[in-house]
Amino acid sequence: MRSLSHSKTRIMHKIIKATLALHGHGRCFITEKQLSAIRVASRGFVCADHGSGSGKSGEVYDVIISGGGMVGSAMACSLGLDPNLMGKKILLLEAGNKKVMDVVPESYSTRVSSISPGSATLLSGVGAWEHITAMRYKPYQKMQVWDACSDALITFDKENLQEEMAYIVENDIVVAALTKQLDSLSDNVQVKYRSKVVKYTWPRPHQAADSIPWVQVTLANGETLQTKLLIGADGPNSMVRRELGIPTVKWNYDQSAVVAVLHLSEPTENNVAWQRFLPTGPIAMLPLSDTQSSLVWSTSHRLAEELLELDEESFVDAINSAFWSNENQSELIETAGSLFRSILSAIMPSAGSPRQLPPSVAGIGPKTRVMFPLGMGHASEYIRHRVALIGDAAHRVHPLAGQGANLGFGDVACLTQLLSQAAFTGKDLGAMQHLLEYETDRQRHNLPMMAAIDLMKRLYSTNAAPAVLLRTFGLQTTNMLPTLKEQIMAFASK
């Protein structure tokens, strides 16, 4: 049976790899029933040799969520508020301190997320959005993306700019809002802060006399807990995923992101998110207020280190040049792009959108310049017997599309719904049936999104003429097709 498990794991690894290589055009299923049969038959045995009883077993929970942060805390709130899960014992384990924000700091944080309308709906449903809006957030109505190697651009906006496209929120504020909401759910959800997990012991699917029926969680303080369902929300270096031996398709992009808080030259409505693709990687300016924006500049490790070492004036000059300079454009590309744009305008005279100029930057916030490495990762499986992975524990993406947090919140909404249905019908929360449904649903959404982001990153990481022409024609055509743009926005807004 162990050999069946290992061969199945290799098969799943190849499936995910092939899917990503094909840029997400559907999963490589045999059939739904055949794959489910393979999964159910094999996954329960993967960790069977870890399931022997080990000393004193502690309190039994229905659900333990390992990892706080934005996604883990949202999962705890979502389960704690679900009427079908009332009476269930739910525990959130957070390795760090409790994040309390009685007063919003005057300065902005460098770590922000673009929260989609779908994610805002989830946060509203768990009662956290009202705390966020009472603290600090910035909606934007439009996004402009353009190429540094050509005149091609595309804009995304809601009809007549009446609706918000998304919201820029500091990660600390999202966590603080969810923490505040968790305080009000203390009857339904228990939270253990400063609780570091040192060991997981996995159950056997078919019980032996000396085995435990649930997942066993051992904390650094010696405490041992048991749970009928463990939800791993412990980030890209997930201990849950690693201890389960779930293979991960991952690679580094040989890029780092430089982030900073920017002070604009003059007050502006600042309701546009700006992104320009440079040959070394995308640079984005996201609105924080009428006078400040957040910088996310993805570039090579070498250039990122150089940017950190620049004095403030030189760094500001480099930012403005990255958004405004035409030094990467060539006459051939400009001529071809202009001709193609003229043809499209003749065919669709009322389509397209005018170019806007981004605001200029005057300075940066003190001590806000930091960098971190970029990469992509995807777990070949999101579930095992009595275990589910959510958020960065299951998938990690390049920040160019601003979808990292939204994919995680989508996991929360999907898993909550399926666990709610299971509880309503009296089923075991840790049973494979609904966990498989969660995995299938989320991978069908996440894989195409991740593959598209990866393709975009690679397509725009070169200034070779054929690639520049290809993306110029693609960008200009898409910008002329409102229906296609609406479909892209609708998919990203989920």
Side-chain angles (χ1 to χ4, degrees):
M1 288 184 179
R2 285 176 61 81
S3 62
L4 170 63
S5 164
H6 292 162
S7 63
K8 185 264 168 180
T9 298
R10 287 195 298 271
I11 290 168
M12 283 302 298
H13 195 203
K14 289 177 181 176
I15 287 173
I16 299 298
K17 213 166 188 176
T19 308
L20 284 171
L22 290 169
H23 307 300
H25 297 301
R27 285 183 77 188
C28 304
F29 288 121
I30 308 164
T31 68
E32 195 75 35
K33 287 185 179 179
Q34 287 173 322
L35 182 56
S36 294
I38 291 171
R39 286 169 161 176
V40 172
S42 64
R43 289 194 192 184
F45 297 92
V46 170
C47 297
D49 55 333
H50 294 284
S52 59
S54 55
K56 178 185 172 185
S57 58
E59 198 170 357
V60 178
Y61 290 87
D62 293 290
V63 182
I64 289 180
I65 301 153
S66 184
M70 293 192 292
V71 174
S73 298
M75 187 83 244
C77 286
S78 187
L79 295 179
L81 281 166
D82 191 281
N84 292 328
L85 294 168
M86 291 296 176
K88 299 292 185 184
K89 291 183 66 175
I90 300 165
L91 172 66
L92 173 65
L93 295 175
E94 168 54 54
N97 295 317
K98 185 175 182 179
K99 304 287 194 306
V100 179
M101 192 179 289
D102 295 324
V103 178
V104 178
E106 188 176 329
S107 58
Y108 283 86
S109 167
T110 54
R111 301 305 294 265
V112 302
S113 292
S114 178
I115 303 298
S116 70
S119 294
T121 299
L122 170 77
L123 292 169
S124 178
V126 301
W129 191 247
E130 62 184 77
H131 299 314
I132 291 172
T133 56
M135 286 189 278
R136 186 162 65 198
Y137 78 119
K138 177 66 176 177
Y140 62 91
Q141 282 78 34
K142 185 175 181 179
M143 183 174 189
Q144 179 172 296
V145 181
W146 73 110
D147 193 340
C149 296
S150 75
D151 280 336
L153 86 155
I154 187 169
T155 59
F156 296 98
D157 55 59
K158 298 287 187 174
E159 188 177 358
N160 298 322
L161 302 179
Q162 294 302 307
E163 293 180 53
E164 284 86 11
M165 267 195 72
Y167 312 85
I168 302 300
V169 188
E170 295 152 273
N171 293 359
D172 288 346
I173 283 181
V174 177
V175 173
L178 289 164
T179 300
K180 187 177 289 188
Q181 190 61 14
L182 282 170
D183 286 342
S184 70
L185 294 173
S186 56
D187 290 344
N188 302 337
V189 180
Q190 183 183 350
V191 185
K192 288 181 182 285
Y193 296 102
R194 302 177 68 181
S195 299
K196 180 176 172 57
V197 178
V198 294
K199 183 183 178 185
Y200 295 105
T201 306
W202 312 112
R204 294 182 182 182
H206 303 293
Q207 297 306 312
D210 63 342
S211 68
I212 57 169
W214 319 122
V215 176
Q216 192 167 285
V217 183
T218 306
L219 303 181
N221 64 4
E223 189 177 0
T224 300
L225 312 167
Q226 293 188 62
T227 181
K228 298 173 185 178
L229 174 64
L230 174 68
I231 299 176
D234 49 347
N237 299 314
S238 170
M239 180 182 173
V240 175
R241 187 188 68 232
R242 187 175 66 250
E243 292 292 307
L244 280 168
I246 293 177
T248 304
V249 180
K250 60 182 177 181
W251 53 81
N252 292 320
Y253 283 126
D254 292 324
Q255 282 190 332
S256 288
V258 175
V259 295
V261 175
L262 307 178
H263 297 295
L264 305 182
S265 298
E266 57 186 11
T268 171
E269 195 174 359
N270 207 15
N271 62 355
V272 180
W274 309 91
Q275 183 164 262
R276 193 182 197 196
F277 283 99
L278 307 172
T280 53
I283 181 172
M285 184 160 40
L286 309 171
L288 292 174
S289 70
D290 290 349
T291 58
Q292 296 184 69
S293 289
S294 177
L295 172 75
V296 184
W297 189 343
S298 304
T299 188
S300 66
H301 299 309
R302 181 186 58 80
L303 183 54
E305 288 169 358
E306 291 175 4
L307 289 169
L308 286 186
E309 291 170 4
L310 292 175
D311 60 72
E312 181 176 336
E313 185 177 349
S314 300
F315 183 63
V316 167
D317 288 343
I319 295 168
N320 286 324
S321 177
F323 278 108
W324 292 74
S325 173
N326 293 326
E327 64 180 6
N328 292 300
Q329 296 183 11
S330 72
E331 192 174 336
L332 169 66
I333 301 297
E334 192 174 339
T335 303
S338 179
L339 178 62
F340 189 69
R341 190 164 53 251
S342 299
I343 294 170
L344 287 174
S345 297
I347 298 170
M348 297 172 283
S350 61
S353 47
R355 177 186 300 272
Q356 281 185 259
L357 298 176
S360 62
V361 178
I364 62 171
K367 299 180 181 178
T368 63
R369 249 188 296 178
V370 294
M371 63 178 275
F372 55 90
L374 299 176
M376 175 185 165
H378 187 265
S380 60
E381 302 163 60
Y382 288 9
I383 63 158
R384 284 283 175 87
H385 184 54
R386 301 203 173 280
V387 185
L389 300 176
I390 61 173
D392 285 353
H395 40 72
R396 176 190 177 201
V397 295
H398 193 288
L400 69 87
Q403 290 300 309
N406 295 320
L407 293 180
F409 289 135
D411 295 344
V412 170
C414 177
L415 187 54
T416 299
Q417 181 184 11
L418 292 170
L419 293 178
S420 176
Q421 290 172 357
F424 181 73
T425 54
K427 292 178 182 174
D428 179 0
L429 295 185
M432 289 292 283
Q433 184 179 0
H434 44 271
L435 295 184
L436 281 168
E437 198 173 338
Y438 158 72
E439 180 186 71
T440 300
D441 185 89
R442 291 311 296 162
Q443 287 194 346
R444 282 178 173 167
H445 180 272
N446 294 345
L447 278 169
M449 175 73 77
M450 294 178 71
I453 292 170
D454 185 64
L455 173 63
M456 197 181 301
K457 186 267 168 197
R458 295 177 188 279
L459 184 61
Y460 279 92
S461 293
T462 177
N463 55 1
V468 175
L469 283 171
L470 175 65
R471 67 200 194 205
T472 297
F473 297 159
L475 213 58
Q476 288 180 345
T477 302
T478 305
N479 197 43
M480 289 287 193
L481 298 171
T483 304
L484 178 58
K485 289 202 292 184
E486 286 172 10
Q487 290 175 344
I488 293 171
M489 283 191 291
F491 187 75
S493 295
K494 290 180 181 178

